[in-house]
Amino acid sequence: MSENYFKKYPSKDGYFQEYGGAYLPPVLEEEMKKINDAYFAISKSHNFISELRSIRKHYQGRPTPVYYCNRLSEKYGGRIYLKREDLNHTGAHKLNHCMGEALLAKYMGKKKLIAETGAGQHGVALATAAAYFGLECEIHMGEVDIAKEHPNVVRMKILGAKVVPVSFGLKTLKEAVDSAFEAYLKDPVNSIYCIGSVVGPHPFPMMVRDFQHIIGIEAREQFFDMTGELPDSVVACVGGGSNAMGIFSGFLEDKEVNLYGIEPAGRSLEVGENAATITLGKPGVIHGFKCYLLQNEKGEPAPVYSVASGLDYPGVGPEHSMLHDMKRVKYDYAYDKETIDAFFELSRMEGIIPALESAHAVAYALKLAKTEPKTSILVNLSGRGDKDIDFVMENWGKDYL
Ligand SMILES: *Cc1c(COP(=O)(O)O)cnc(C)c1O
């Protein structure tokens, strides 16, 4: 499946079966085509590949390890392993595609990276990549998020990025996307828009997947080296879906490996209380591409919520939408409460504080481990939880200490 699969999906015009594509105004269509052409020309070149390889090894600290959770496995019955993306430089998987996008920008002769950010994680990773390559960086962020995510705003500024406050509408992620696109359209020759997940118009879902594919390549080989077999299950959290696509893409061909994408069920499965897009959504169009979408009767994106701000997006990657229809990946969910339990459980049983996003995958893995003794489960630990500790203590500290 692998070779053929990657040749087949996406199609030339960016479709994963009916999902994906590029639903854009003509000006942007032109720019996306240029980025696509540049990606195909440059990303297969020897120089690009060897520079990216060197960055991953010497700057990011790859390969990140696969770790066997001794105490957790003993307690829950299944064998639980973690792919440690929390140990990737900047503490999450996002730098994998930001370094790739910035390297592409450099080869295209771009001077400036533009992006939006919600919680600030993508902004910090992109600002890091910009500093590495000596490129300008402009991050658009809603004023509501700026107030909420102060430490990440400071990080971006220290890294030399310009943070542009967005003060219209609800002043959160959606307006930040509009604002960043506007800025990009003013100077598409010198700047490039860098998307933060396997979402947006073609070629971004494909490029971001390809840059994240390294997680799956490493994890498959490392797991096999450690155990002499492949895992029974691979589990990852799904927001836009980049960390999940990264690890799944290493195992798509291995039919005997069960793949689980875990969405945030938040407080409940009622509208506005979660961001369980594939579980509860229907096909629709958002930000220039077609995917499963949480939407109201008018087809507009519905309000979303998650305890993990990196997961609260009403859409999802087009490739995940297809893999759901194909039934190659099972999409399921974890509630806030289970997620917070898992956050403390992993911290106390293994000495690893996970990002709240990743804790959704951990929560699901613990359930699998309990129901199927001896089964082997590989969890993509997409990031570390340092960013979440104040928030967790404020809201749940008294229940756990
Ligand atoms: C942003 C983020 C996610 C969600 O993004 P995906 O594109 O779904 O991977 C998950 N984990 C961490 C640590 C993040 O920062």
Side-chain angles (χ1 to χ4, degrees):
M1 186 163 161
S2 190
E3 266 294 297
N4 284 336
Y5 177 90
F6 289 111
K7 277 210 179 98
K8 206 162 159 193
Y9 302 113
S11 67
K12 248 201 171 83
D13 43 358
Y15 280 91
F16 297 89
Q17 292 183 350
E18 67 171 294
Y19 307 102
Y23 297 77
L24 293 168
V27 231
L28 270 180
E29 219 167 88
E30 193 73 8
E31 286 310 313
M32 291 304 136
K33 217 179 142 303
K34 276 187 213 156
I35 293 174
N36 186 52
D37 293 347
Y39 176 68
F40 274 108
I42 295 164
S43 69
K44 316 289 176 211
S45 76
H46 173 76
N47 285 350
F48 185 94
I49 291 167
S50 64
E51 188 168 356
L52 194 55
R53 206 173 270 167
S54 165
I55 288 168
R56 283 171 174 163
K57 180 168 177 196
H58 301 290
Y59 183 66
Q60 292 180 229
R62 302 202 71 90
T64 58
V66 165
Y67 166 71
Y68 175 64
C69 297
N70 258 301
R71 296 188 61 219
L72 216 49
S73 300
E74 196 155 294
K75 177 168 169 182
Y76 285 83
R79 290 173 291 148
I80 302 167
Y81 297 78
L82 306 176
K83 174 61 172 166
R84 299 288 309 273
E85 288 304 293
D86 60 315
L87 295 177
N88 195 34
H89 178 44
T90 71
H93 70 288
K94 284 199 176 74
L95 196 65
N96 297 333
H97 63 248
C98 285
M99 293 308 284
E101 287 175 326
L103 183 59
L104 178 67
K106 186 187 103 167
Y107 274 73
M108 288 179 76
K110 304 284 186 184
K111 305 271 184 294
K112 192 201 263 186
L113 310 179
I114 299 179
E116 80 293 339
T117 196
Q121 294 301 109
H122 177 52
V124 168
L126 196 64
T128 301
Y132 178 93
F133 288 107
L135 296 165
E136 282 176 62
C137 186
E138 188 178 299
I139 304 294
H140 294 244
M141 190 169 184
E143 281 181 343
V144 169
D145 291 328
I146 288 180
K148 255 170 52 185
E149 308 289 345
H150 183 68
N152 276 341
V153 176
V154 174
R155 276 184 197 108
M156 287 185 264
K157 287 183 178 167
I158 289 173
L159 290 161
K162 182 175 159 200
V163 179
V164 179
V166 179
S167 55
F168 57 90
L170 294 175
K171 304 173 193 178
T172 59
L173 183 63
K174 186 184 169 304
E175 292 78 23
V177 174
D178 297 339
S179 170
F181 255 102
E182 223 169 90
Y184 168 56
L185 276 180
K186 279 188 192 142
D187 189 11
V189 176
N190 292 306
S191 60
I192 184 167
Y193 195 100
C194 294
I195 286 177
S197 188
V198 285
V199 297
H202 181 64
F204 282 98
M206 170 189 69
M207 290 198 314
V208 172
R209 173 201 67 192
D210 291 354
F211 291 138
Q212 291 292 352
H213 185 40
I214 187 67
I215 301 176
I217 294 174
E218 288 175 6
R220 189 179 188 281
E221 186 178 321
Q222 290 166 318
F223 192 94
F224 196 82
D225 280 351
M226 282 173 91
T227 66
E229 58 188 24
L230 292 176
D232 295 321
S233 304
V234 174
V235 184
C237 66
V238 178
S242 64
N243 87 85
M245 242 10 272
I247 197 157
F248 291 169
S249 60
F251 296 93
L252 282 172
E253 194 182 27
D254 304 305
K255 279 284 167 5
E256 69 276 25
V257 178
N258 300 308
L259 306 176
Y260 295 94
I262 306 308
E263 303 190 310
R267 298 188 193 101
S268 82
L269 295 181
E270 296 295 314
V271 179
E273 302 250 281
N274 63 75
T277 305
I278 293 181
T279 306
L280 300 170
K282 301 184 305 223
V285 173
I286 184 173
H287 293 142
F289 71 105
K290 188 172 176 191
C291 64
Y292 276 88
L293 179 66
L294 289 167
Q295 50 191 294
N296 62 22
E297 311 79 51
K298 290 186 202 147
E300 294 156 351
V304 283
Y305 157 82
S306 167
V307 70
S309 41
L311 301 181
D312 61 1
Y313 185 61
V316 67
E319 193 164 6
H320 287 291
S321 302
M322 177 186 78
L323 289 168
H324 169 69
D325 285 3
M326 286 175 161
K327 298 189 164 56
R328 175 62 189 96
V329 178
K330 180 174 164 59
Y331 294 87
D332 213 332
Y333 50 83
Y335 290 103
D336 282 1
K337 178 70 175 70
E338 303 168 291
T339 300
I340 300 294
D341 282 344
F343 175 91
F344 279 99
E345 188 70 350
L346 188 66
S347 299
R348 290 171 178 191
M349 295 295 290
E350 299 291 344
I352 298 169
I353 303 176
L356 283 177
E357 289 83 1
S358 326
H360 284 77
V362 176
Y364 197 81
L366 296 182
K367 275 204 260 189
L368 279 181
K370 263 194 272 189
T371 51
E372 297 175 53
K374 299 245 154 34
T375 189
S376 61
I377 306 160
L378 174 61
V379 180
N380 198 18
L381 200 75
S382 55
R384 67 178 179 223
D386 303 47
K387 67 185 178 60
D388 299 314
I389 55 176
D390 290 339
F391 177 78
V392 168
M393 288 315 289
E394 240 167 68
N395 292 281
W396 289 277
K398 61 179 184 335
D399 303 336
Y400 289 87
L401 295 186

